[in-house]
């Protein structure tokens, strides 16, 4: 899977034979991800860092987000030319790179929604996805898969 930022200065290549064989990634409703995405949720793919190759790394600008619901300071990387969010790194997910799904023309079906307690009241849960009150793998919302 390959994608790029809006201006094309940064290219992201993911090598994973199982990428489309099962649901992967998540939709995050925390305020920090919403602001980063400029939307009602962030669409993210958390994947092993060794499966990710970024070209144009010299065009990345880092912002350290400390006001997070997890309590972790998240390193968020953007294209310094067009401002497109590219990836996030978290001490809560060692060895993983969190990629922004909007970089890619084809993305895997997400497996879960996280921080659903922060979801907008008018938003409905996506059918077939696990619903976590907070982080991935944490307490599930009652009635969730």
């Amino acid at each position: 899977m390959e994608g790029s930022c809006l201006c094309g200065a940064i290219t992201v290549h993911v090598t994973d034979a199982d990428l489309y064989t099962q649901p992967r990634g998540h939709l995050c409703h925390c305020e920090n991800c919403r602001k980063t995405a400029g939307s009602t949720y962030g669409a993210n793919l958390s994947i092993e860092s060794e499966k990710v190759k970024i070209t144009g790394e010299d065009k990345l600008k880092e912002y350290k987000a400390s006001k997070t619901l997890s309590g972790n300071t998240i390193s968020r990387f953007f294209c310094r030319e067009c401002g497109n969010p590219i990836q996030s790194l978290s001490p809560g997910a060692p060895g993983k790179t969190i990629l922004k799904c909007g970089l890619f023309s084809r993305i895997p079906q997400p497996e879960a929604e996280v921080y659903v307690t922060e979801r907008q009241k008018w938003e409905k849960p996506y059918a077939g996805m696990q619903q976590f009150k907070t982080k991935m793998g944490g307490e599930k919302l009652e009635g969730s898969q």
Side-chain angles (χ1 to χ4, degrees), residues 70 72-74 89-96 98 135:
S70 68
N72 292 318
T73 296
I74 308 293
L89 301 174
S90 171
K96 299 275 187 163
I98 303 162
K135 66 182 181 178

Side-chain angles (χ1 to χ4, degrees), residues 1-103:
M1 179 171 78
E2 188 169 287
S4 67
C5 64
L6 191 59
C7 72
I10 298 170
T11 302
V12 180
H13 184 80
V14 176
T15 305
D16 186 337
D18 296 322
L19 199 57
Y20 298 106
T21 63
Q22 61 191 4
R24 295 283 300 267
H26 62 279
L27 306 179
C28 184
H29 296 278
C30 81
E31 184 176 27
N32 197 283
C33 280
R34 287 195 320 258
K35 286 184 176 187
T36 300
S39 188
T40 57
Y41 56 80
N44 302 308
L45 174 65
S46 181
I47 192 160
E48 297 79 8
S49 296
E50 67 268 8
K51 295 180 178 181
V52 178
K53 181 179 180 211
I54 297 177
T55 306
E57 287 186 274
D58 59 320
K59 299 290 186 189
L60 287 174
K61 180 166 178 65
E62 180 180 6
Y63 172 75
K64 292 196 178 278
S66 58
K67 294 179 183 176
T68 64
L69 290 176
S70 68
N72 292 318
T73 296
I74 308 293
S75 292
R76 296 194 178 277
F77 295 86
F78 301 83
C79 174
R80 70 174 61 248
E81 300 296 324
C82 65
N84 202 142
I86 306 294
Q87 70 173 348
S88 300
L89 301 174
S90 171
K96 299 275 187 163
T97 297
I98 303 162
L99 296 171
K100 304 304 168 192
C101 288
L103 298 167

Side-chain angles (χ1 to χ4, degrees), residues 29 34 40-41 113 115-125 133 141:
H29 296 278
R34 287 195 320 258
T40 57
Y41 56 80
E113 289 184 78
Y115 290 96
V116 297
T117 55
E118 303 295 313
R119 184 171 38 217
Q120 299 299 307
K121 300 296 180 213
W122 49 264
E123 285 184 287
K124 304 285 186 238
K133 288 184 177 182
L141 197 63

